[in-house]
């Protein structure tokens, strides 16, 4: 077996990178929900004082309830870290229709968020993979600039139950520079969480474009491509866990056999396992672990945030198929599986989630006993939320870079 590193190590990063990833966005601040709660309490107090006036009482109670609901929603968001900026909120609202969509469009049109400069949501898509159509080059979501760009690669694969998959490709600075026309790049694939997750999440909640830029600006990593993959099978409300579902979408096969070859076809990549990393958060982290272990020939590095190694409540998606359950439960199969090729794994957790910490160390121990290189990175003060995934992404990308640098041109 070929070692990827003499020893896997947790990267040490400059404060300029870590602070950018840990900082709260304006809509994550506790001041937001505290302001709504305070306003609700004030309205309620005025309503009580004017209780003898029927109209004032009716409007006051309605206003207080609305403000308390907003306080609850923003408090949850402050904890989870899903919507960081007005631009993120605009994207979320644009998923709806009618007035919600209009409000989202207005929010984004007035946003001064730098992420808007490389927003992919209005990009023309391209096709690739096993769709049966002639693939065309992906089109940029925004003009390429010195800080890189984001493109949409549409990879439909009806044969595997995916009618349309919008995968977001984050390109490093200088990718489209003619001077780099012969340059090839390693690739990190990131999977969203379940349910109600989607490929845009790593661009918004996960802050992947900004993290990639900050790491490059600090000269911590060599240029790489990040692909935020779409494993929703066009049904984001379903907790697919990235599985090949009996009688349903074959998401593991779709990622390994359609998305990866399409990315290699459309972009200047190193098309080998040593220059590919697969990662994700929560349900996407489970998927990255499970798929990565099933496809050692395709991925040499795994980056697992908020890990778990058992299907637990999601086991129902496999419809009671015991063979499928056993084959997709890493906790069961890691102790006996063969490792013909060396694997490097980083598991990241927040210390505020003791179950995640225990699970990460259990997975690490199981893999280390099989001779694999594993690092557990704990981020102090965060829980099983996007805060942890975003704060640890720089470490995961730097860890992947360590392995990319030591890998030969072909593996």
């Amino acid at each position: 077996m070929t070692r990827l590193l003499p020893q896997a190590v947790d990267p040490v990063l400059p404060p300029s990178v870590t602070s950018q990833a840990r900082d709260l966005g304006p809509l994550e601040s506790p001041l937001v929900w505290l302001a709504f709660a305070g306003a609700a309490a004030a309205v309620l107090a005025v309503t009580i004082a004017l209780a003898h006036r029927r109209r004032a009482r009716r409007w006051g109670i309605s206003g207080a309830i609305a403000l308390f609901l907003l306080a609850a929603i923003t408090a949850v968001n402050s904890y989870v870290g899903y919507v960081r900026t007005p631009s993120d909120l605009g994207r979320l609202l644009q998923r709806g229709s009618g007035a919600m969509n209009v409000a989202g469009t207005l929010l984004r049109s007035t946003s001064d968020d730098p992420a808007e400069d490389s927003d992919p949501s209005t990009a023309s898509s391209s096709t690739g993979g096993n769709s049966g159509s002639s693939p065309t080059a992906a089109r940029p979501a925004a003009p390429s600039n010195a800080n890189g760009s984001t493109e949409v690669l549409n990879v439909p694969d009806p044969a595997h139950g995916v009618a349309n998959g919008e995968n977001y490709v984050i390109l490093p600075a200088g990718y489209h520079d003619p001077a780099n026309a012969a340059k090839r790049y390693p690739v990190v694939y990131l999977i969203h969480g379940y349910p109600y997750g989607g490929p845009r999440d790593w661009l918004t909640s996960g802050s992947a474009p900004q993290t990639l830029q900050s790491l490059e600006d600090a000269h911590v990593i060599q240029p790489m491509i990040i692909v935020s993959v779409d494993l929703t099978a066009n049904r984001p409300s379903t907790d697919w866990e990235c599985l090949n579902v009996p009688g349903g979408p074959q998401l593991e096969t779709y990622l390994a056999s359609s998305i990866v070859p399409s990315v290699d076809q459309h972009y200047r990549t190193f098309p080998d396992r040593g220059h590919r990393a697969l990662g994700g958060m929560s349900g996407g982290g489970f998927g990255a672990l499970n798929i990565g272990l099933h496809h050692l020939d395709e991925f040499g590095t795994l980056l697992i945030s908020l890990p778990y190694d058992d299907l637990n409540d999601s086991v129902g998606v496999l419809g009671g198929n015991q063979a499928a359950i056993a084959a997709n439960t890493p906790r069961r199969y890691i102790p006996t599986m063969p490792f013909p090729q060396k694997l490097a794994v980083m598991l990241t957790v927040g210390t505020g989630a003791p179950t995640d910490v225990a699970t990460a160390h259990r997975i690490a121990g199981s893999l280390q006993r099989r001779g694999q290189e594993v690092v557990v990175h704990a981020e102090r003060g965060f829980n099983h939320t996007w805060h942890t995934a975003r704060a640890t992404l720089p470490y995961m990308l730097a860890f992947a870079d360590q392995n990319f640098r030591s890998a030969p041109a072909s593996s």
Side-chain angles (χ1 to χ4, degrees), residues 146-190:
N147 295 325
S149 59
T150 302
E151 300 183 353
V152 179
L153 183 64
N154 190 355
V155 186
D157 188 356
H160 291 113
V162 180
N164 182 52
E166 290 189 339
N167 304 280
Y168 292 84
V169 182
I170 306 167
L171 299 172
Y175 179 88
H176 289 297
D177 188 331
N180 295 324
K183 186 173 183 177
R184 293 188 173 272
Y185 300 84
V187 184
V188 172
Y189 293 85
L190 296 176

mmCIF file of all heavy atoms in Angstrom, residues 146-190:
data_model
loop_
_atom_site.group_PDB
_atom_site.id
_atom_site.type_symbol
_atom_site.label_atom_id
_atom_site.label_comp_id
_atom_site.label_asym_id
_atom_site.label_seq_id
_atom_site.Cartn_x
_atom_site.Cartn_y
_atom_site.Cartn_z
ATOM 1 N N ALA A 146 -9.976 37.913 -10.658
ATOM 2 C CA ALA A 146 -8.735 37.501 -10.006
ATOM 3 C C ALA A 146 -8.998 36.586 -8.820
ATOM 4 O O ALA A 146 -8.105 35.865 -8.377
ATOM 5 C CB ALA A 146 -7.957 38.733 -9.558
ATOM 6 N N ASN A 147 -10.204 36.612 -8.289
ATOM 7 C CA ASN A 147 -10.524 35.808 -7.120
ATOM 8 C C ASN A 147 -11.235 34.506 -7.480
ATOM 9 O O ASN A 147 -11.849 33.878 -6.625
ATOM 10 C CB ASN A 147 -11.394 36.624 -6.154
ATOM 11 C CG ASN A 147 -10.650 37.812 -5.594
ATOM 12 O OD1 ASN A 147 -9.450 37.742 -5.352
ATOM 13 N ND2 ASN A 147 -11.347 38.911 -5.405
ATOM 14 N N GLY A 148 -11.186 34.115 -8.722
ATOM 15 C CA GLY A 148 -11.824 32.877 -9.132
ATOM 16 C C GLY A 148 -13.284 33.096 -9.505
ATOM 17 O O GLY A 148 -13.775 34.222 -9.575
ATOM 18 N N SER A 149 -13.987 32.008 -9.752
ATOM 19 C CA SER A 149 -15.381 32.099 -10.177
ATOM 20 C C SER A 149 -16.097 30.809 -9.820
ATOM 21 O O SER A 149 -15.480 29.814 -9.436
ATOM 22 C CB SER A 149 -15.469 32.352 -11.687
ATOM 23 O OG SER A 149 -14.833 31.295 -12.397
ATOM 24 N N THR A 150 -17.416 30.838 -9.945
ATOM 25 C CA THR A 150 -18.239 29.665 -9.674
ATOM 26 C C THR A 150 -19.086 29.357 -10.903
ATOM 27 O O THR A 150 -19.664 30.266 -11.497
ATOM 28 C CB THR A 150 -19.163 29.909 -8.462
ATOM 29 O OG1 THR A 150 -18.363 30.225 -7.328
ATOM 30 C CG2 THR A 150 -19.992 28.667 -8.158
ATOM 31 N N GLU A 151 -19.139 28.094 -11.280
ATOM 32 C CA GLU A 151 -19.903 27.663 -12.434
ATOM 33 C C GLU A 151 -20.870 26.555 -12.039
ATOM 34 O O GLU A 151 -20.708 25.925 -10.987
ATOM 35 C CB GLU A 151 -18.961 27.169 -13.540
ATOM 36 C CG GLU A 151 -17.988 28.236 -14.012
ATOM 37 C CD GLU A 151 -17.088 27.782 -15.154
ATOM 38 O OE1 GLU A 151 -17.115 26.583 -15.502
ATOM 39 O OE2 GLU A 151 -16.369 28.632 -15.694
ATOM 40 N N VAL A 152 -21.862 26.353 -12.886
ATOM 41 C CA VAL A 152 -22.839 25.280 -12.674
ATOM 42 C C VAL A 152 -22.596 24.188 -13.706
ATOM 43 O O VAL A 152 -22.553 24.470 -14.908
ATOM 44 C CB VAL A 152 -24.281 25.804 -12.795
ATOM 45 C CG1 VAL A 152 -25.271 24.655 -12.597
ATOM 46 C CG2 VAL A 152 -24.541 26.905 -11.786
ATOM 47 N N LEU A 153 -22.435 22.970 -13.239
ATOM 48 C CA LEU A 153 -22.305 21.823 -14.129
ATOM 49 C C LEU A 153 -23.535 20.945 -13.930
ATOM 50 O O LEU A 153 -23.707 20.303 -12.889
ATOM 51 C CB LEU A 153 -21.035 21.025 -13.817
ATOM 52 C CG LEU A 153 -20.755 19.828 -14.731
ATOM 53 C CD1 LEU A 153 -20.496 20.289 -16.162
ATOM 54 C CD2 LEU A 153 -19.576 19.017 -14.208
ATOM 55 N N ASN A 154 -24.390 20.943 -14.925
ATOM 56 C CA ASN A 154 -25.629 20.179 -14.853
ATOM 57 C C ASN A 154 -25.358 18.756 -15.340
ATOM 58 O O ASN A 154 -24.974 18.548 -16.488
ATOM 59 C CB ASN A 154 -26.692 20.857 -15.715
ATOM 60 C CG ASN A 154 -28.072 20.278 -15.502
ATOM 61 O OD1 ASN A 154 -28.239 19.307 -14.774
ATOM 62 N ND2 ASN A 154 -29.064 20.873 -16.155
ATOM 63 N N VAL A 155 -25.553 17.780 -14.450
ATOM 64 C CA VAL A 155 -25.268 16.384 -14.792
ATOM 65 C C VAL A 155 -26.528 15.542 -14.580
ATOM 66 O O VAL A 155 -26.714 14.930 -13.528
ATOM 67 C CB VAL A 155 -24.109 15.821 -13.946
ATOM 68 C CG1 VAL A 155 -23.733 14.417 -14.426
ATOM 69 C CG2 VAL A 155 -22.894 16.735 -14.013
ATOM 70 N N PRO A 156 -27.430 15.522 -15.556
ATOM 71 C CA PRO A 156 -28.608 14.647 -15.437
ATOM 72 C C PRO A 156 -28.213 13.193 -15.675
ATOM 73 O O PRO A 156 -27.337 12.901 -16.481
ATOM 74 C CB PRO A 156 -29.538 15.163 -16.537
ATOM 75 C CG PRO A 156 -28.630 15.778 -17.547
ATOM 76 C CD PRO A 156 -27.447 16.321 -16.790
ATOM 77 N N ASP A 157 -28.852 12.306 -14.962
ATOM 78 C CA ASP A 157 -28.551 10.880 -15.103
ATOM 79 C C ASP A 157 -29.820 10.070 -14.827
ATOM 80 O O ASP A 157 -29.956 9.433 -13.781
ATOM 81 C CB ASP A 157 -27.443 10.488 -14.119
ATOM 82 C CG ASP A 157 -26.945 9.069 -14.339
ATOM 83 O OD1 ASP A 157 -27.511 8.369 -15.208
ATOM 84 O OD2 ASP A 157 -26.015 8.653 -13.633
ATOM 85 N N PRO A 158 -30.794 10.112 -15.749
ATOM 86 C CA PRO A 158 -32.063 9.400 -15.530
ATOM 87 C C PRO A 158 -31.884 7.914 -15.270
ATOM 88 O O PRO A 158 -32.689 7.315 -14.551
ATOM 89 C CB PRO A 158 -32.823 9.653 -16.832
ATOM 90 C CG PRO A 158 -32.221 10.899 -17.405
ATOM 91 C CD PRO A 158 -30.771 10.849 -17.027
ATOM 92 N N ALA A 159 -30.845 7.323 -15.822
ATOM 93 C CA ALA A 159 -30.638 5.889 -15.628
ATOM 94 C C ALA A 159 -30.430 5.541 -14.160
ATOM 95 O O ALA A 159 -30.722 4.422 -13.733
ATOM 96 C CB ALA A 159 -29.434 5.423 -16.459
ATOM 97 N N HIS A 160 -29.921 6.517 -13.389
ATOM 98 C CA HIS A 160 -29.704 6.291 -11.960
ATOM 99 C C HIS A 160 -30.661 7.100 -11.096
ATOM 100 O O HIS A 160 -30.390 7.367 -9.917
ATOM 101 C CB HIS A 160 -28.249 6.594 -11.591
ATOM 102 C CG HIS A 160 -27.279 5.613 -12.163
ATOM 103 N ND1 HIS A 160 -26.348 5.949 -13.130
ATOM 104 C CD2 HIS A 160 -27.116 4.288 -11.935
ATOM 105 C CE1 HIS A 160 -25.644 4.877 -13.457
ATOM 106 N NE2 HIS A 160 -26.092 3.856 -12.751
ATOM 107 N N GLY A 161 -31.785 7.522 -11.684
ATOM 108 C CA GLY A 161 -32.834 8.173 -10.916
ATOM 109 C C GLY A 161 -32.611 9.638 -10.624
ATOM 110 O O GLY A 161 -33.232 10.181 -9.710
ATOM 111 N N VAL A 162 -31.738 10.290 -11.387
ATOM 112 C CA VAL A 162 -31.473 11.715 -11.181
ATOM 113 C C VAL A 162 -31.844 12.452 -12.465
ATOM 114 O O VAL A 162 -31.100 12.418 -13.451
ATOM 115 C CB VAL A 162 -30.003 11.973 -10.817
ATOM 116 C CG1 VAL A 162 -29.762 13.471 -10.607
ATOM 117 C CG2 VAL A 162 -29.622 11.191 -9.569
ATOM 118 N N ALA A 163 -32.986 13.116 -12.435
ATOM 119 C CA ALA A 163 -33.455 13.798 -13.642
ATOM 120 C C ALA A 163 -32.607 15.019 -13.963
ATOM 121 O O ALA A 163 -32.398 15.358 -15.126
ATOM 122 C CB ALA A 163 -34.918 14.217 -13.462
ATOM 123 N N ASN A 164 -32.131 15.690 -12.928
ATOM 124 C CA ASN A 164 -31.342 16.900 -13.146
ATOM 125 C C ASN A 164 -30.513 17.168 -11.904
ATOM 126 O O ASN A 164 -31.042 17.239 -10.804
ATOM 127 C CB ASN A 164 -32.256 18.099 -13.421
ATOM 128 C CG ASN A 164 -31.468 19.362 -13.695
ATOM 129 O OD1 ASN A 164 -30.590 19.373 -14.543
ATOM 130 N ND2 ASN A 164 -31.766 20.424 -12.959
ATOM 131 N N GLY A 165 -29.218 17.289 -12.061
ATOM 132 C CA GLY A 165 -28.346 17.557 -10.926
ATOM 133 C C GLY A 165 -27.518 18.790 -11.170
ATOM 134 O O GLY A 165 -26.700 18.828 -12.093
ATOM 135 N N GLU A 166 -27.733 19.856 -10.376
ATOM 136 C CA GLU A 166 -26.974 21.097 -10.524
ATOM 137 C C GLU A 166 -25.800 21.096 -9.543
ATOM 138 O O GLU A 166 -25.979 21.288 -8.336
ATOM 139 C CB GLU A 166 -27.872 22.308 -10.270
ATOM 140 C CG GLU A 166 -28.893 22.536 -11.360
ATOM 141 C CD GLU A 166 -29.618 23.861 -11.203
ATOM 142 O OE1 GLU A 166 -29.628 24.396 -10.082
ATOM 143 O OE2 GLU A 166 -30.153 24.352 -12.205
ATOM 144 N N ASN A 167 -24.622 20.863 -10.062
ATOM 145 C CA ASN A 167 -23.417 20.796 -9.255
ATOM 146 C C ASN A 167 -22.639 22.098 -9.412
ATOM 147 O O ASN A 167 -22.423 22.571 -10.529
ATOM 148 C CB ASN A 167 -22.578 19.605 -9.697
ATOM 149 C CG ASN A 167 -23.364 18.312 -9.633
ATOM 150 O OD1 ASN A 167 -23.529 17.719 -8.586
ATOM 151 N ND2 ASN A 167 -23.887 17.870 -10.785
ATOM 152 N N TYR A 168 -22.219 22.686 -8.293
ATOM 153 C CA TYR A 168 -21.567 23.994 -8.307
ATOM 154 C C TYR A 168 -20.055 23.811 -8.240
ATOM 155 O O TYR A 168 -19.542 23.177 -7.313
ATOM 156 C CB TYR A 168 -22.082 24.845 -7.153
ATOM 157 C CG TYR A 168 -23.532 25.220 -7.343
ATOM 158 C CD1 TYR A 168 -24.547 24.350 -6.964
ATOM 159 C CD2 TYR A 168 -23.886 26.416 -7.945
ATOM 160 C CE1 TYR A 168 -25.880 24.672 -7.167
ATOM 161 C CE2 TYR A 168 -25.215 26.746 -8.155
ATOM 162 C CZ TYR A 168 -26.203 25.870 -7.761
ATOM 163 O OH TYR A 168 -27.517 26.186 -7.969
ATOM 164 N N VAL A 169 -19.375 24.361 -9.222
ATOM 165 C CA VAL A 169 -17.932 24.188 -9.362
ATOM 166 C C VAL A 169 -17.245 25.505 -9.019
ATOM 167 O O VAL A 169 -17.408 26.504 -9.721
ATOM 168 C CB VAL A 169 -17.568 23.741 -10.790
ATOM 169 C CG1 VAL A 169 -16.065 23.508 -10.906
ATOM 170 C CG2 VAL A 169 -18.348 22.475 -11.165
ATOM 171 N N ILE A 170 -16.493 25.504 -7.930
ATOM 172 C CA ILE A 170 -15.777 26.695 -7.466
ATOM 173 C C ILE A 170 -14.347 26.601 -7.985
ATOM 174 O O ILE A 170 -13.588 25.699 -7.607
ATOM 175 C CB ILE A 170 -15.789 26.784 -5.934
ATOM 176 C CG1 ILE A 170 -17.228 26.720 -5.413
ATOM 177 C CG2 ILE A 170 -15.107 28.067 -5.463
ATOM 178 C CD1 ILE A 170 -17.323 26.499 -3.918
ATOM 179 N N LEU A 171 -14.007 27.527 -8.863
ATOM 180 C CA LEU A 171 -12.695 27.500 -9.510
ATOM 181 C C LEU A 171 -11.721 28.428 -8.786
ATOM 182 O O LEU A 171 -12.111 29.488 -8.298
ATOM 183 C CB LEU A 171 -12.823 27.923 -10.972
ATOM 184 C CG LEU A 171 -13.726 27.035 -11.822
ATOM 185 C CD1 LEU A 171 -13.940 27.640 -13.200
ATOM 186 C CD2 LEU A 171 -13.131 25.635 -11.945
ATOM 187 N N PRO A 172 -10.463 28.049 -8.722
ATOM 188 C CA PRO A 172 -9.477 28.891 -8.036
ATOM 189 C C PRO A 172 -9.111 30.110 -8.863
ATOM 190 O O PRO A 172 -9.387 30.186 -10.074
ATOM 191 C CB PRO A 172 -8.283 27.956 -7.877
ATOM 192 C CG PRO A 172 -8.386 27.047 -9.064
ATOM 193 C CD PRO A 172 -9.871 26.833 -9.275
ATOM 194 N N ALA A 173 -8.492 31.063 -8.211
ATOM 195 C CA ALA A 173 -8.017 32.256 -8.908
ATOM 196 C C ALA A 173 -7.077 31.854 -10.039
ATOM 197 O O ALA A 173 -6.225 30.980 -9.877
ATOM 198 C CB ALA A 173 -7.293 33.177 -7.926
ATOM 199 N N GLY A 174 -7.265 32.468 -11.201
ATOM 200 C CA GLY A 174 -6.373 32.229 -12.325
ATOM 201 C C GLY A 174 -6.710 31.027 -13.168
ATOM 202 O O GLY A 174 -6.001 30.742 -14.146
ATOM 203 N N TYR A 175 -7.807 30.326 -12.853
ATOM 204 C CA TYR A 175 -8.114 29.122 -13.628
ATOM 205 C C TYR A 175 -8.290 29.442 -15.105
ATOM 206 O O TYR A 175 -7.818 28.704 -15.982
ATOM 207 C CB TYR A 175 -9.370 28.443 -13.086
ATOM 208 C CG TYR A 175 -9.752 27.196 -13.863
ATOM 209 C CD1 TYR A 175 -9.225 25.959 -13.518
ATOM 210 C CD2 TYR A 175 -10.615 27.260 -14.961
ATOM 211 C CE1 TYR A 175 -9.551 24.813 -14.244
ATOM 212 C CE2 TYR A 175 -10.949 26.123 -15.682
ATOM 213 C CZ TYR A 175 -10.412 24.906 -15.331
ATOM 214 O OH TYR A 175 -10.725 23.767 -16.045
ATOM 215 N N HIS A 176 -8.985 30.545 -15.417
ATOM 216 C CA HIS A 176 -9.260 30.896 -16.806
ATOM 217 C C HIS A 176 -8.179 31.788 -17.424
ATOM 218 O O HIS A 176 -8.336 32.233 -18.562
ATOM 219 C CB HIS A 176 -10.620 31.585 -16.910
ATOM 220 C CG HIS A 176 -11.779 30.658 -16.698
ATOM 221 N ND1 HIS A 176 -12.053 29.590 -17.523
ATOM 222 C CD2 HIS A 176 -12.743 30.622 -15.738
ATOM 223 C CE1 HIS A 176 -13.122 28.942 -17.093
ATOM 224 N NE2 HIS A 176 -13.561 29.559 -16.017
ATOM 225 N N ASP A 177 -7.116 32.030 -16.709
ATOM 226 C CA ASP A 177 -6.010 32.820 -17.252
ATOM 227 C C ASP A 177 -5.320 32.003 -18.348
ATOM 228 O O ASP A 177 -4.925 30.847 -18.118
ATOM 229 C CB ASP A 177 -5.023 33.143 -16.130
ATOM 230 C CG ASP A 177 -3.940 34.125 -16.568
ATOM 231 O OD1 ASP A 177 -3.587 34.149 -17.765
ATOM 232 O OD2 ASP A 177 -3.419 34.853 -15.702
ATOM 233 N N PRO A 178 -5.163 32.562 -19.547
ATOM 234 C CA PRO A 178 -4.496 31.819 -20.623
ATOM 235 C C PRO A 178 -3.126 31.295 -20.232
ATOM 236 O O PRO A 178 -2.682 30.259 -20.754
ATOM 237 C CB PRO A 178 -4.399 32.852 -21.754
ATOM 238 C CG PRO A 178 -5.537 33.795 -21.504
ATOM 239 C CD PRO A 178 -5.643 33.886 -20.013
ATOM 240 N N ALA A 179 -2.459 31.986 -19.303
ATOM 241 C CA ALA A 179 -1.140 31.535 -18.876
ATOM 242 C C ALA A 179 -1.197 30.195 -18.148
ATOM 243 O O ALA A 179 -0.191 29.489 -18.051
ATOM 244 C CB ALA A 179 -0.496 32.586 -17.970
ATOM 245 N N ASN A 180 -2.396 29.833 -17.631
ATOM 246 C CA ASN A 180 -2.550 28.576 -16.905
ATOM 247 C C ASN A 180 -3.272 27.519 -17.729
ATOM 248 O O ASN A 180 -3.780 26.538 -17.178
ATOM 249 C CB ASN A 180 -3.330 28.823 -15.610
ATOM 250 C CG ASN A 180 -2.589 29.716 -14.647
ATOM 251 O OD1 ASN A 180 -1.364 29.647 -14.542
ATOM 252 N ND2 ASN A 180 -3.320 30.572 -13.934
ATOM 253 N N ALA A 181 -3.318 27.705 -19.036
ATOM 254 C CA ALA A 181 -4.112 26.820 -19.897
ATOM 255 C C ALA A 181 -3.673 25.360 -19.817
ATOM 256 O O ALA A 181 -4.480 24.454 -20.070
ATOM 257 C CB ALA A 181 -4.038 27.307 -21.344
ATOM 258 N N ALA A 182 -2.437 25.114 -19.466
ATOM 259 C CA ALA A 182 -1.952 23.735 -19.389
ATOM 260 C C ALA A 182 -1.918 23.207 -17.956
ATOM 261 O O ALA A 182 -1.532 22.064 -17.725
ATOM 262 C CB ALA A 182 -0.548 23.649 -19.992
ATOM 263 N N LYS A 183 -2.349 24.016 -17.016
ATOM 264 C CA LYS A 183 -2.263 23.635 -15.606
ATOM 265 C C LYS A 183 -3.448 22.770 -15.201
ATOM 266 O O LYS A 183 -4.579 23.024 -15.597
ATOM 267 C CB LYS A 183 -2.217 24.887 -14.730
ATOM 268 C CG LYS A 183 -1.979 24.615 -13.259
ATOM 269 C CD LYS A 183 -1.776 25.903 -12.475
ATOM 270 C CE LYS A 183 -1.477 25.622 -11.020
ATOM 271 N NZ LYS A 183 -1.216 26.870 -10.250
ATOM 272 N N ARG A 184 -3.172 21.735 -14.400
ATOM 273 C CA ARG A 184 -4.224 20.872 -13.885
ATOM 274 C C ARG A 184 -4.360 21.047 -12.371
ATOM 275 O O ARG A 184 -3.430 21.475 -11.702
ATOM 276 C CB ARG A 184 -3.948 19.402 -14.237
ATOM 277 C CG ARG A 184 -4.045 19.140 -15.733
ATOM 278 C CD ARG A 184 -3.978 17.669 -16.079
ATOM 279 N NE ARG A 184 -4.253 17.474 -17.498
ATOM 280 C CZ ARG A 184 -5.457 17.318 -18.019
ATOM 281 N NH1 ARG A 184 -6.512 17.309 -17.217
ATOM 282 N NH2 ARG A 184 -5.621 17.151 -19.304
ATOM 283 N N TYR A 185 -5.533 20.672 -11.857
ATOM 284 C CA TYR A 185 -5.859 20.968 -10.466
ATOM 285 C C TYR A 185 -6.448 19.745 -9.753
ATOM 286 O O TYR A 185 -7.195 18.968 -10.354
ATOM 287 C CB TYR A 185 -6.889 22.102 -10.402
ATOM 288 C CG TYR A 185 -6.427 23.394 -11.018
ATOM 289 C CD1 TYR A 185 -6.542 23.604 -12.397
ATOM 290 C CD2 TYR A 185 -5.872 24.411 -10.242
ATOM 291 C CE1 TYR A 185 -6.120 24.787 -12.984
ATOM 292 C CE2 TYR A 185 -5.454 25.598 -10.816
ATOM 293 C CZ TYR A 185 -5.576 25.783 -12.190
ATOM 294 O OH TYR A 185 -5.148 26.961 -12.771
ATOM 295 N N PRO A 186 -6.150 19.601 -8.465
ATOM 296 C CA PRO A 186 -6.850 18.584 -7.666
ATOM 297 C C PRO A 186 -8.268 19.046 -7.374
ATOM 298 O O PRO A 186 -8.597 20.224 -7.524
ATOM 299 C CB PRO A 186 -6.009 18.523 -6.380
ATOM 300 C CG PRO A 186 -5.406 19.885 -6.272
ATOM 301 C CD PRO A 186 -5.158 20.346 -7.684
ATOM 302 N N VAL A 187 -9.113 18.113 -6.941
ATOM 303 C CA VAL A 187 -10.526 18.426 -6.741
ATOM 304 C C VAL A 187 -10.995 17.927 -5.374
ATOM 305 O O VAL A 187 -10.702 16.790 -4.984
ATOM 306 C CB VAL A 187 -11.415 17.783 -7.825
ATOM 307 C CG1 VAL A 187 -12.871 18.218 -7.654
ATOM 308 C CG2 VAL A 187 -10.924 18.142 -9.224
ATOM 309 N N VAL A 188 -11.742 18.793 -4.676
ATOM 310 C CA VAL A 188 -12.427 18.409 -3.443
ATOM 311 C C VAL A 188 -13.925 18.410 -3.730
ATOM 312 O O VAL A 188 -14.485 19.418 -4.162
ATOM 313 C CB VAL A 188 -12.114 19.383 -2.293
ATOM 314 C CG1 VAL A 188 -12.996 19.069 -1.077
ATOM 315 C CG2 VAL A 188 -10.644 19.316 -1.908
ATOM 316 N N TYR A 189 -14.574 17.275 -3.505
ATOM 317 C CA TYR A 189 -16.021 17.146 -3.662
ATOM 318 C C TYR A 189 -16.668 17.268 -2.277
ATOM 319 O O TYR A 189 -16.256 16.579 -1.332
ATOM 320 C CB TYR A 189 -16.387 15.798 -4.281
ATOM 321 C CG TYR A 189 -15.924 15.647 -5.712
ATOM 322 C CD1 TYR A 189 -14.635 15.207 -6.004
ATOM 323 C CD2 TYR A 189 -16.770 15.960 -6.768
ATOM 324 C CE1 TYR A 189 -14.202 15.084 -7.320
ATOM 325 C CE2 TYR A 189 -16.349 15.828 -8.088
ATOM 326 C CZ TYR A 189 -15.063 15.398 -8.353
ATOM 327 O OH TYR A 189 -14.626 15.282 -9.659
ATOM 328 N N LEU A 190 -17.680 18.140 -2.157
ATOM 329 C CA LEU A 190 -18.368 18.348 -0.884
ATOM 330 C C LEU A 190 -19.853 18.017 -1.036
ATOM 331 O O LEU A 190 -20.488 18.425 -2.012
ATOM 332 C CB LEU A 190 -18.211 19.792 -0.414
ATOM 333 C CG LEU A 190 -16.784 20.257 -0.077
ATOM 334 C CD1 LEU A 190 -16.792 21.736 0.274
ATOM 335 C CD2 LEU A 190 -16.206 19.424 1.065
#
